[in-house]
Amino acid sequence: MLTSRSFLKRTRSGAVVKVVREHYLRDDIPCGAAACCLCPPRPAGPGLGLQARPSGAASTLCPEPHYLLPDTNLLLHQIDILEDPVIMNVIVLQTVLQEVRSRSAPVYKRIRDVIGNPEKHFYSFTNEHHRETYVEQKQGETSNDRNDRAIRVAVKWYSEHLKKIEDEEKIQVIFLTNDRANKQKALEEGITAYTCEEYIKSLTANPDLVDRLACVSDEGKEIESKKIIFPEHIPLSKLQQGIKSGVYLQGTYRASRENYLEATVWVHGDAEENKEIIIQGLKHLNRAVHEDIVAVELLAKDEWVGPSSVILEDDGLNEDDSENEEEKENTLKTSVNKDMLRPTGRVVGIIKRNWRPFCGMLSKSQIKEARRHLFTPADRRIPRIRIETRQADILEGQRIIVAIDGWPRNSRYPNGHFVKNLGTAGDKETETEVLLLEHDVPHQPFSQSVLSFLPKMPWSITEQDMKYREDLRNLDVCSVDPPGCTDIDDALHCRELENGNIEVGVHIADVSHFIRPGNALDEESAKRGTTVYLCEKRIDMVPELLSSNLCSLRSNVDRLAFSCIWEMNHKAEILKTRFTKSIINSKASLTYAEAQMRIDSATMSDAITVSLRGLNKLAKILKKKRIDNGALTLSSPEVRFHMDSETHDPIDLQTKELKETNSMVEEFMLLANVSVAQKIYDEFPEFALLRKHPAPPPSNYDILVKAAKSKDLEIRTDSAKALAESLDKAESPSFPYLNTLLRILATRCMMQAVYFCSGMDNDFHHYGLASPIYTHFTSPIRRYADILVHRLLAVAIGADSIYPELLDKHKLADISKNLNYRHKMAQYAQRASVAFHTQLFFKSKGVVNEDAYILFVRKNAIVVLIPKYGLEGTVFFEEKGEPTPRLSYNSEVPSLTVEDTTFHVFDKVKVSIMLDASNIQHQKIRMVLVEPKILGSNMPASQPTTIDSNKEPEKKKKKLQK
């Protein structure tokens, strides 16, 4: 059956056209109930459909077997409830899915995943194309009212339809809605309808589910005083008009970690002025949460402020103490440096909320038997959240997840609901889970749909695989990697040719052969973007069968590769370059130390060793050329943990030692990346995926230049070459570590390198490598960017076919944006993992005294680096409850004088290191100055008593102290 509707539409040129929309209706759409013999069989698809005998939680409201049918708002707000294993046999209407899709992409994805889960028995019913459930929009009826009516019609049809099934136990359909008017109409029409709260509270065997109810209506959740704290948010339509006319500015809200009463808004658009707007004070922050897209109104210039240097943490002790809040806001105003006034504004409305589930801990209410408590997120930029729970005693001391539901004007904090208990705070597994969630690292196991695209085992190379491929199994190829590496991306070979030249090959795992464009495996890899390496765990971008087996270039097995082969002379000048898909058989999987040992050995002269020596010799020439060209050699203190084989706790911590072979491998990887970048750009000038490293703005170098000047050294920053040369010259015979410190500081001045599409940018230069063009080709097992580059290169050499998305620069720009985000979050997650393991190490160590060097001086503290551990920390000269010493800060030098002792950048000091576990959620390494001693002040004791973890059993304590 066909229905059609027509309407008139005005085109851009002003012409009026008639648009006719045809809508097909069918009577062969199955209801999804397993017991139904009236409908045609359900087509194959995700999930298993509705059970013949609905199982699940027993309800006191409806003891009979039943299916649930939620409306749109319930699905949008109560997705945490619907995801719970207890809730099964749910009918999700097409009307509801379409509305959810247009209103919340994350919720839409979550409900699609639930529908695809066979254990949940959710069924998606196409009511908009079913002859008996489709409804036309009436004249004067809003789309919302029409959709509500369509949902009620579908519920009614299901109730009638299920009655016709010949079964002694009739199945009911329960309509769940939190919309009072809709529920009332449903009841009037004879439909069984409940609110989500009514139904969940009737599941007496699952009382914990009540805690997961989202607080959508603010009734009963508002604070007792009905005092309005915040200004009203301006409606979205008015905001958009205001942004268009320039009255308001739109930007991303970034809360401060140090000061809960301050934030900045990064304004969207290209205008240089007012790019960054300061927001200060509770009312001006107006219920915005970190990463929200907000509308801001600029204040008059006489109300502008400067960024405050005060550290303020929200103790959350008394919600109604507005006088205390005003007092804190006044401290912000008095501490402003008048020369640093910056554009200042106030949040007038929210354009898009970027709320996500937050990890943290419950701050249990002091009131006995209280159900309302405050939740303190792990991320200091997120405000505390008020939740209702009956499990406070169980959840105290646990890491939990909470979601925000709303933030009324008369509430000091947003309202939310409990989602999940992750485990005990401080437990290694729990803290790793928190770390991954907080850095948005996708780490759930690969789904069946993703795994279904993996090759079937046992796998072997077929004749079809050999098409467009060179057989290079005769070459003496080897790989050089860190110890314990199983995801081997790259291998090398080097041999002398008959004409006296040298052939060098870089062979990279051919991951794009296994991951084909557009399938579930490809989409999951693109979403993950990168493998994340934590101290004891690796979160793979691709399933282990590929990462550690079929793609990994292990020794003595045939593997598919993508090879970049150069013919060079003995001066490492490239004479010819060719790219080919290949098959290789690596003759050795070596560690950096093993490769170095072979190169240095006086007795070894086998083919692999000769190949390594040839590679090493060429690598040194390539490196010298790069550095002469202006490439930077920077430094960052990387640490390595030695783990206890039983407990897996860190027992030793030291900085990583880099060998000559590290540099050898790096040189050829860089050369391959540059060669491939040039090739794909020549072939696809609009669609090449490249990587650039922007030059830092001159002001970034201020700290480096001043620090060097304080040691009578000159650092030039007008070009990368000038910087590289002046860093090479910055040596001090009496202070050998100075050059490393300068290079560490120079690293902090750099911008982030980013992926981009060549058709969307015109600045390709890579500042750090001094290369006019660069990309990533050499690590496709752990980086999705490299897979795309492989696909472009394969098309360029005729080894693979093109697909539309590869030639869509807007799509490539979107992929680049996600890759840059994932790469950044992976770096942060890795740092957080190092920080957590460092805390575990010092927890067992007690107090340790070590030499340190000052990296930065602040107004009330010094930031120091401890070379032995590659550890950075802050020594504060102001302690709570202690008299403050005389402090004098000079920003020009820079220097800090404490009483009569002056500290400069790079000064050597001795510090005491210990774990401060007083705040279980934010445990931190605390550093106290030991030498030089500060005279004439009551500084914190230089030798604090060893922090003793009360949670350790007696026997274990003794073992740790050995």
Side-chain angles (χ1 to χ4, degrees):
M1 180 183 161
L2 173 71
T3 69
S4 64
R5 63 192 185 95
S6 58
F7 54 90
L8 301 175
K9 181 181 165 189
R10 191 182 291 278
T11 65
R12 279 185 180 174
S13 59
V16 175
V17 292
K18 186 177 183 181
V19 179
V20 178
R21 291 256 167 93
E22 292 183 337
H23 193 88
Y24 289 88
L25 299 178
R26 301 167 54 164
D27 43 23
D28 60 349
I29 296 170
C31 68
C36 180
C37 49
L38 305 171
C39 294
R42 202 173 68 82
L48 294 175
L50 306 162
Q51 290 176 307
R53 292 256 183 283
S55 61
S59 164
T60 52
L61 282 176
C62 185
E64 301 84 23
H66 57 270
Y67 299 143
L68 300 174
L69 197 154
D71 71 357
T72 308
N73 280 328
L74 192 130
L75 206 149
L76 277 168
H77 297 299
Q78 308 290 356
I79 184 70
D80 288 323
I81 291 277
L82 295 173
E83 283 176 331
D84 194 279
V86 168
I87 305 298
M88 296 162 69
N89 294 291
V90 175
I91 300 159
V92 183
L93 298 180
Q94 181 190 1
T95 310
V96 170
L97 266 184
Q98 285 171 346
E99 277 197 283
V100 168
R101 188 178 192 170
S102 66
R103 286 169 61 183
S104 173
V107 174
Y108 178 73
K109 189 192 176 302
R110 285 168 73 181
I111 194 64
R112 295 286 339 170
D113 289 345
V114 175
I115 292 168
N117 180 353
E119 291 170 13
K120 292 281 285 170
H121 297 282
F122 274 48
Y123 178 64
S124 173
F125 178 61
T126 319
N127 66 308
E128 293 289 355
H129 289 279
H130 194 289
R131 190 199 296 264
E132 293 181 50
T133 56
Y134 172 72
V135 298
E136 289 270 7
Q137 189 166 349
K138 293 177 181 173
Q139 202 167 358
E141 188 178 40
T142 66
S143 299
N144 197 37
D145 287 346
R146 180 260 166 210
N147 288 345
D148 284 349
R149 188 162 57 87
I151 294 167
R152 292 196 303 274
V153 166
V155 179
K156 221 168 180 182
W157 177 82
Y158 256 106
S159 298
E160 297 301 320
H161 180 75
L162 294 174
K163 281 176 189 169
K164 296 173 190 171
I165 299 172
E166 291 175 12
D167 200 340
E168 58 267 20
E169 271 202 288
K170 295 297 176 203
I171 298 169
Q172 271 193 291
V173 176
I174 294 180
F175 178 40
L176 295 182
T177 178
N178 285 341
D179 180 334
R180 280 187 199 163
N182 202 10
K183 184 189 170 192
Q184 192 54 42
K185 284 179 185 171
L187 293 170
E188 285 166 9
E189 291 169 20
I191 294 169
T192 308
Y194 299 115
T195 65
C196 190
E197 194 169 342
E198 285 169 345
Y199 180 76
I200 295 302
K201 283 182 175 174
S202 76
L203 308 179
T204 45
N206 303 88
D208 52 322
L209 261 185
V210 178
D211 286 356
R212 299 184 69 180
L213 280 167
C215 155
V216 183
S217 154
D218 292 316
E219 290 174 342
K221 297 251 180 170
E222 293 172 354
I223 45 181
E224 277 64 30
S225 75
K226 291 284 188 275
K227 184 182 169 189
I228 299 294
I229 301 171
F230 297 102
E232 199 167 351
H233 284 152
I234 293 169
L236 192 56
S237 55
K238 285 189 180 172
L239 287 180
Q240 285 164 338
Q241 286 169 10
I243 290 163
K244 230 176 187 177
S245 64
V247 175
Y248 307 134
L249 297 167
Q250 176 177 324
T252 304
Y253 178 91
R254 303 265 163 84
S256 161
R257 282 180 203 276
E258 277 82 35
N259 186 341
Y260 76 99
L261 292 174
E262 185 171 281
T264 48
V265 171
W266 289 83
V267 177
H268 302 168
D270 303 322
E272 278 307 305
E273 59 168 355
N274 302 336
K275 193 78 188 152
E276 190 184 336
I277 296 170
I278 294 179
I279 317 285
Q280 265 187 15
L282 210 57
K283 288 185 174 63
H284 287 173
L285 299 174
N286 199 3
R287 296 170 286 156
V289 176
H290 183 64
E291 291 293 342
D292 282 351
I293 309 295
V294 298
V296 174
E297 181 180 46
L298 272 179
L299 299 177
K301 281 202 174 182
D302 59 355
E303 293 183 69
W304 284 14
V305 298
S308 76
S309 53
V310 181
I311 294 177
L312 283 181
E313 286 181 19
D314 180 10
D315 51 27
L317 295 178
N318 189 348
E319 299 176 28
D320 302 331
D321 194 352
S322 52
E323 283 177 26
N324 181 26
E325 221 72 80
E326 282 167 22
E327 205 177 294
K328 286 183 178 178
E329 288 182 23
N330 288 334
T331 64
L332 297 182
K333 289 166 191 163
T334 53
S335 58
V336 169
N337 177 344
K338 296 291 180 218
D339 305 330
M340 293 186 61
L341 294 180
R342 299 248 289 282
T344 307
R346 63 188 186 97
V347 173
V348 292
I350 309 291
I351 291 159
K352 183 173 179 274
R353 287 289 193 191
N354 267 330
W355 293 344
R356 58 179 174 84
F358 299 106
C359 299
M361 294 181 73
L362 195 70
S363 304
K364 197 177 159 201
S365 170
Q366 302 300 311
I367 304 162
K368 206 180 173 188
E369 303 292 321
R371 288 200 335 219
R372 210 180 295 165
H373 309 271
L374 278 178
F375 161 82
T376 306
D379 187 339
R380 292 183 188 275
R381 295 168 300 187
I382 307 299
R384 288 162 183 253
I385 302 163
R386 188 185 297 102
I387 67 166
E388 272 198 22
T389 177
R390 293 156 182 75
Q391 311 175 64
D393 292 337
I394 300 165
L395 297 180
E396 200 176 12
Q398 302 285 299
R399 289 281 200 174
I400 62 173
I401 297 178
V402 160
I404 298 180
D405 300 323
W407 196 340
R409 287 176 62 198
N410 58 357
S411 172
R412 170 68 183 80
Y413 297 110
N415 292 325
H417 66 275
F418 166 74
V419 175
K420 189 181 179 186
N421 184 355
L422 295 173
T424 308
D427 173 73
K428 201 187 299 181
E429 286 298 310
T430 305
E431 294 302 329
T432 302
E433 179 75 5
V434 169
L435 187 152
L436 292 168
L437 288 166
E438 281 299 292
H439 293 95
D440 196 14
V441 174
H443 60 287
Q444 64 284 6
F446 290 99
S447 68
Q448 276 310 119
S449 62
V450 168
L451 297 174
S452 68
F453 286 97
L454 291 174
K456 302 291 173 275
M457 297 301 283
W459 174 85
S460 61
I461 295 166
T462 64
E463 269 186 46
Q464 183 64 27
D465 295 336
M466 289 303 295
K467 211 176 173 184
Y468 308 117
R469 239 174 240 285
E470 272 188 56
D471 191 340
L472 303 179
R473 285 176 284 194
N474 61 314
L475 295 177
D476 291 311
V477 171
C478 70
S479 61
V480 185
D481 290 283
C485 177
T486 59
D487 52 345
I488 303 170
D489 283 294
D490 52 88
L492 299 150
H493 88 271
C494 174
R495 64 175 180 171
E496 198 145 327
L497 298 172
E498 287 174 5
N499 62 8
N501 290 331
I502 303 166
E503 180 186 88
V504 175
V506 165
H507 310 278
I508 305 299
D510 189 5
V511 182
S512 62
H513 172 84
F514 296 96
I515 300 181
R516 302 309 295 163
N519 67 26
L521 177 55
D522 181 46
E523 284 172 2
E524 182 65 24
S525 308
K527 179 185 139 193
R528 293 183 179 222
T530 180
T531 292
V532 181
Y533 294 90
L534 305 180
C535 292
E536 268 193 287
K537 196 174 187 177
R538 190 179 80 202
I539 313 296
D540 281 326
M541 180 186 82
V542 298
E544 195 178 10
L545 179 65
L546 296 182
S547 66
S548 296
N549 187 348
L550 302 185
C551 291
S552 184
L553 304 181
R554 302 188 302 190
S555 54
N556 305 314
V557 285
D558 291 350
R559 286 291 177 257
L560 302 179
F562 210 146
S563 302
C564 172
I565 300 168
W566 303 279
E567 187 177 323
M568 294 180 176
N569 60 22
H570 287 265
K571 293 179 188 170
E573 291 166 342
I574 297 170
L575 307 172
K576 281 183 198 162
T577 307
R578 69 189 181 90
F579 306 98
T580 179
K581 289 233 176 183
S582 60
I583 174 171
I584 64 165
N585 188 304
S586 171
K587 305 298 182 280
S589 301
L590 306 172
T591 64
Y592 290 117
E594 288 166 348
Q596 191 67 54
M597 195 179 70
R598 280 176 178 252
I599 290 167
D600 298 340
S601 168
T603 55
M604 294 181 83
S605 58
D606 58 283
I608 289 293
T609 305
V610 170
S611 174
L612 285 168
R613 285 179 188 143
L615 288 165
N616 199 37
K617 192 177 167 190
L618 290 168
K620 286 177 181 175
I621 303 169
L622 287 169
K623 186 170 186 176
K624 186 178 182 311
K625 275 189 198 170
R626 242 180 4 95
I627 288 167
D628 290 348
N629 204 24
L632 296 172
T633 309
L634 299 175
S635 181
S636 64
E638 285 193 67
V639 295
R640 185 178 195 119
F641 293 95
H642 294 276
M643 301 291 182
D644 183 300
S645 57
E646 287 176 34
T647 64
H648 294 283
D649 284 340
I651 48 175
D652 195 13
L653 171 65
Q654 62 191 62
T655 49
K656 287 182 186 173
E657 184 194 343
L658 296 180
K659 295 190 159 35
E660 215 175 57
T661 41
N662 290 70
S663 178
M664 176 190 83
V665 173
E666 185 187 12
E667 284 310 314
F668 288 107
M669 296 306 119
L670 293 175
L671 191 63
N673 286 336
V674 171
S675 298
V676 171
Q678 196 57 59
K679 177 70 176 175
I680 62 172
Y681 178 63
D682 291 344
E683 290 289 329
F684 304 106
E686 288 285 299
F687 313 111
L689 183 76
L690 302 176
R691 187 164 176 82
K692 68 172 179 176
H693 182 212
S699 60
N700 276 32
Y701 288 122
D702 286 353
I703 185 77
L704 175 68
V705 173
K706 283 178 183 174
K709 196 177 172 186
S710 72
K711 294 286 180 235
D712 298 322
L713 295 169
E714 187 196 2
I715 298 286
R716 287 178 48 232
T717 60
D718 38 315
S719 70
K721 189 170 172 60
L723 176 62
E725 285 172 355
S726 53
L727 280 171
D728 287 341
K729 287 176 192 163
E731 296 280 356
S732 168
S734 61
F735 187 2
Y737 196 64
L738 176 64
N739 191 263
T740 306
L741 287 169
L742 283 166
R743 290 182 193 277
I744 289 170
L745 216 48
T747 307
R748 307 291 168 89
C749 303
M750 293 297 138
M751 305 290 280
Q752 188 82 34
V754 289
Y755 297 109
F756 68 101
C757 171
S758 57
M760 305 289 277
D761 209 324
N762 47 22
D763 172 25
F764 294 5
H765 191 75
H766 197 293
Y767 180 80
L769 297 172
S771 175
I773 193 165
Y774 191 66
T775 193
H776 273 161
F777 163 76
T778 54
S779 295
I781 293 177
R782 62 186 178 89
R783 290 188 307 232
Y784 187 75
D786 303 52
I787 293 178
L788 286 180
V789 168
H790 277 227
R791 289 175 183 168
L792 287 162
L793 185 61
V795 174
I797 63 168
D800 207 341
S801 52
I802 197 77
Y803 61 99
E805 282 83 0
L806 205 56
L807 299 183
D808 180 343
K809 59 185 181 184
H810 295 286
K811 176 85 175 162
L812 284 170
D814 286 345
I815 291 171
S816 300
K817 191 177 172 186
N818 179 56
L819 293 177
N820 292 330
Y821 170 71
R822 293 291 181 204
H823 185 72
K824 182 175 74 177
M825 293 320 258
Q827 280 183 321
Y828 290 164
Q830 282 154 357
R831 283 179 207 162
S833 179
V834 168
F836 175 63
H837 280 77
T838 306
Q839 288 169 12
L840 287 178
F841 172 70
F842 283 107
K843 186 177 182 179
S844 63
K845 279 278 183 193
V847 178
V848 180
N849 288 357
E850 285 296 342
D851 288 339
Y853 293 98
I854 298 175
L855 274 185
F856 305 102
V857 291
R858 302 278 187 242
K859 286 181 182 176
N860 62 345
I862 53 174
V863 178
V864 298
L865 175 77
I866 296 153
K868 182 177 176 181
Y869 299 126
L871 181 65
E872 203 178 297
T874 306
V875 176
F876 288 98
F877 294 112
E878 292 177 325
E879 294 278 323
K880 262 187 184 174
E882 297 278 347
T884 304
R886 230 176 36 249
L887 300 174
S888 172
Y889 175 69
N890 183 335
S891 59
E892 283 309 302
V893 178
S895 70
L896 174 68
T897 304
V898 185
E899 295 295 332
D900 299 320
T901 308
T902 302
F903 296 96
H904 297 90
V905 174
F906 302 148
D907 282 357
K908 189 175 182 179
V909 295
K910 184 166 264 187
V911 295
S912 187
I913 315 160
M914 71 217 80
L915 178 69
D916 178 359
S918 56
N919 180 338
I920 193 163
Q921 170 141 271
H922 295 117
Q923 293 192 21
K924 56 180 183 275
I925 299 296
R926 182 164 173 257
M927 294 188 187
V928 176
L929 194 69
V930 175
E931 287 173 19
K933 284 193 165 58
I934 305 292
L935 299 172
S937 81
N938 293 324
M939 286 302 297
S942 61
Q943 275 291 353
T945 52
T946 304
I947 289 182
D948 182 18
S949 173
N950 298 323
K951 294 191 171 64
E952 297 288 356
E954 207 54 42
K955 278 183 186 173
K956 197 172 179 188
K957 276 190 200 171
K958 283 175 184 166
K959 186 183 172 186
L960 291 171
Q961 286 161 3
K962 277 180 188 174

